[in-house]
Structures are given as C-alpha cells and as structure tokens.
Amino acid sequence: NAAEMMAQKASHRLAELGVITNRYSLALFLPVTILLGVYGPQLLAVWISPQFGANCAPVLLALLPGVTIALAGQNNSISILYGMGRHQRYARALVAEAILTLGGIALVVKPFGIVGVAWVVSSMMLLNRGLFTAWLLSREVGINYFRFLGAVYQPLLMAAPVVALLYALRFTILPGRNWPQLILAGIIAVTCYVPVAVMTLRPDHRALLAAKIRERLFRSAS
C-alpha cells in the first residue's frame, strides 16, 4: 500500500495510513500491556513460582514500555518507510541503537544487573524505534511530528481509566493470588477496555465493524 501511494504521490493518504495502522496496532496490543503491567508479578508467581515472580517481574516491567511504544506503536511506520524506499536513515539509526545499547549494557550490568540491562534495551528501543522512527515517517509524509504522536498514542491516554481500575482491584478485592482471580481480572480489563478501543476507530471503521458484528450475529441466529 505504501509503495502504491508513494508512486501516486499521495502523501496525505500515506500520513493517514501511518496514523491508522499504528494506532490500531497499539490499541490491539494494549490489553496485554495493561494486564502484564498491573498483574505481571502475580501472573509469574502463580504460573511458575513466587520466587520467579519476584525476581523476574522488574525485568518484565522494564521491557513493557519499549515493546508497547516502539514495537506495537510504530512497527507499521517501519514497514511504510520500507514501502516508500525511505528506510536508509532508519537502517543507520538501528546500527546506532545497537552500539549505544551495547555501551549502555556494559555500564549498567555490573551495578544494576539484568534489570539495568532491561531498562537500557527498553529505553534505546523507545527512543529509536518509538520516537525517532515516528519523526522519520512524519517528515516523509508531511505531517506535524507531535500531531502524529498524539494521533498514534491516543489509546494510551484513553486506556488510563482501565489501568486505574485494575490497580484499585489489585490492592483491594482481586490481589491476583490464584488463577480464578487473575482470569476474572483479565475479563474485567477486556470488558472495560473494548469500548475504549472502539472509540479509537475512525467513524467509518466503527460503522464497518458494527455491520460485521451484526452480520455474524444474524448468521449465528439463522
């Protein structure tokens, strides 16, 4: 799609493609981030062992921001840059990211251990593949950088009430000490998050989704 739009010199469509694909990708990924961010330590403790959960939870929480913002939030930007044939700066930035990451790891591994390494990896990922890649794409398609970031990362702000609710549940009636509690917390999170995710869709896409759901329900009833 990006290559076709580039050939047609349709920069406005490329900008829209970058916003929509990244925002929808992030919106689809956010339930995983929310659950792991709030109940990650409890999940590891119940699934494997309390000691494993206590030791590995800080690594998980350190990697979540980079994976969510960079991979879920901007991976489509990389694909679009490749489709446009404008990926040269991104390739050089990857080399720089690798060098800086190795240097950062060498500095933090001894005093901070694997948790420090995880924060270095996540931070470099966020800066390069999250923020710098977004700048590259916004520059190529002619859209304001901060407007692009705001449009793509809109689901983060809209999901904040769901995160607050889960934290309230974790510290009160659903501490996540067993599988039933974790499963119930997941059901509550998804139930509360779905309306939020639908609001991130473009109006015509919401109408299309509603039509698809009605069609499926009609077929099931028939």
Side-chain angles (χ1 to χ4, degrees):
N1 285 338
E4 179 184 356
M5 293 175 190
M6 185 67 178
Q8 296 171 349
K9 303 186 185 310
S11 59
H12 64 287
R13 292 176 60 202
L14 277 166
E16 186 178 35
L17 180 69
V19 168
I20 288 175
T21 54
N22 284 313
R23 186 168 69 209
Y24 291 3
S25 174
L26 177 63
L28 286 169
F29 192 84
L30 268 182
V32 177
T33 296
I34 292 170
L35 285 172
L36 290 180
V38 178
Y39 281 98
Q42 289 73 17
L43 176 63
L44 292 174
V46 172
W47 183 18
I48 301 175
S49 72
Q51 184 180 7
F52 186 89
N55 290 331
C56 292
V59 178
L60 172 68
L61 297 178
L63 290 173
L64 271 179
V67 172
T68 302
I69 292 175
L71 297 186
Q74 289 297 330
N75 197 54
N76 291 287
S77 294
I78 300 168
S79 299
I80 294 171
L81 287 171
Y82 276 110
M84 296 172 66
R86 297 287 193 270
H87 56 281
Q88 295 83 359
R89 284 193 177 93
Y90 171 72
R92 289 193 285 269
L94 274 184
V95 176
E97 179 189 339
I99 294 170
L100 291 173
T101 299
L102 288 173
I105 288 173
L107 290 174
V108 305
V109 67
K110 192 171 182 179
F112 300 107
I114 191 66
V115 177
V117 171
W119 275 112
V120 168
V121 171
S122 185
S123 299
M124 291 297 104
M125 190 186 305
L126 191 154
L127 290 173
N128 180 33
R129 284 174 272 177
L131 300 179
F132 181 68
T133 301
W135 177 80
L136 285 177
L137 183 63
S138 64
R139 179 175 175 271
E140 292 294 342
V141 300
I143 185 174
N144 180 271
Y145 175 58
F146 295 103
R147 181 184 161 205
F148 179 67
L149 288 181
V152 169
Y153 294 121
Q154 180 188 45
L156 289 174
L157 182 62
M158 297 182 70
V162 181
V163 176
L165 172 63
L166 280 192
Y167 268 114
L169 292 174
R170 199 189 92 183
F171 287 108
T172 53
I173 60 175
L174 280 180
R177 296 195 184 99
N178 50 52
W179 280 116
Q181 289 187 6
L182 289 171
I183 292 170
L184 180 57
I187 293 172
I188 292 172
V190 172
T191 302
C192 295
Y193 176 76
V194 166
V196 172
V198 170
M199 292 303 297
T200 67
L201 300 178
R202 224 170 51 180
D204 56 324
H205 291 173
R206 283 202 297 269
L208 181 62
L209 176 63
K212 290 286 185 182
I213 293 173
R214 285 195 299 268
E215 182 183 349
R216 292 291 180 95
L217 292 175
F218 178 76
R219 286 181 181 177
S220 299
S222 299

